[in-house]
Amino acid sequence: MEKYIDILLMFVKAFAVGGTLCMIAQIIINCTKLTSGKILVFFMLAGVVLEAFGLYQYVVDFAGAGATVPISGFGYLLARGAMHGAERGIFGALTGALSAASSGITAAVLFAFLFALIFKPKSKKN
């Protein structure tokens, strides 16, 4: 029974952290005139900066997927890969970020292509 309580607690922590990140983004959308692209970049850079100061790892250890799945987790992953790659020199710092995030980037490009084939992409009219 204790095993199931631990699993439930893991889900609750992931939902709480991921939900908080989404809530912050929604508040920014509602209270500012920033575009969604700028907010996306802001969250990704926040993940990079927090990892640069060594703070995002604590959030990942606490929340797991609640911290790694949002776009700030992608920034964390890029920064972490670059820092590990920097141990091999400047070229390693440049390639470390991409090698750390290569599966996520590949999945995003592949699914974007597949959905563009399935659906008819069009511009948003304002």
Side-chain angles (χ1 to χ4, degrees), residues 43-98:
F43 272 89
M44 192 179 80
L45 289 177
V48 170
V49 170
L50 288 173
E51 177 57 22
F53 288 115
L55 300 174
Y56 205 83
Q57 185 62 46
Y58 295 115
V59 180
V60 170
D61 291 341
F62 175 75
T68 57
V69 171
I71 194 68
S72 57
F74 184 68
Y76 151 78
L77 185 65
L78 288 173
R80 187 171 174 86
M83 289 189 299
H84 284 298
E87 296 169 356
R88 296 184 308 251
I90 188 73
F91 187 70
L94 295 173
T95 60
L98 292 177

Side-chain angles (χ1 to χ4, degrees), residues 3-111:
K3 175 183 171 185
Y4 297 112
I5 293 174
D6 289 341
I7 292 172
L8 179 64
L9 183 61
M10 179 179 59
F11 283 132
V12 168
K13 290 189 294 187
F15 179 77
V17 171
T20 301
L21 290 172
C22 292
M23 180 185 68
I24 292 168
Q26 190 64 48
I27 290 170
I28 293 171
I29 289 170
N30 291 345
C31 296
T32 67
K33 294 185 183 228
L34 292 174
T35 63
S36 57
K38 289 178 182 178
I39 295 169
L40 179 129
V41 170
F42 170 74
F43 272 89
M44 192 179 80
L45 289 177
V48 170
V49 170
L50 288 173
E51 177 57 22
F53 288 115
L55 300 174
Y56 205 83
Q57 185 62 46
Y58 295 115
V59 180
V60 170
D61 291 341
F62 175 75
T68 57
V69 171
I71 194 68
S72 57
F74 184 68
Y76 151 78
L77 185 65
L78 288 173
R80 187 171 174 86
M83 289 189 299
H84 284 298
E87 296 169 356
R88 296 184 308 251
I90 188 73
F91 187 70
L94 295 173
T95 60
L98 292 177
S99 64
S102 62
S103 61
I105 293 170
T106 302
V109 170
L110 179 67
F111 285 117

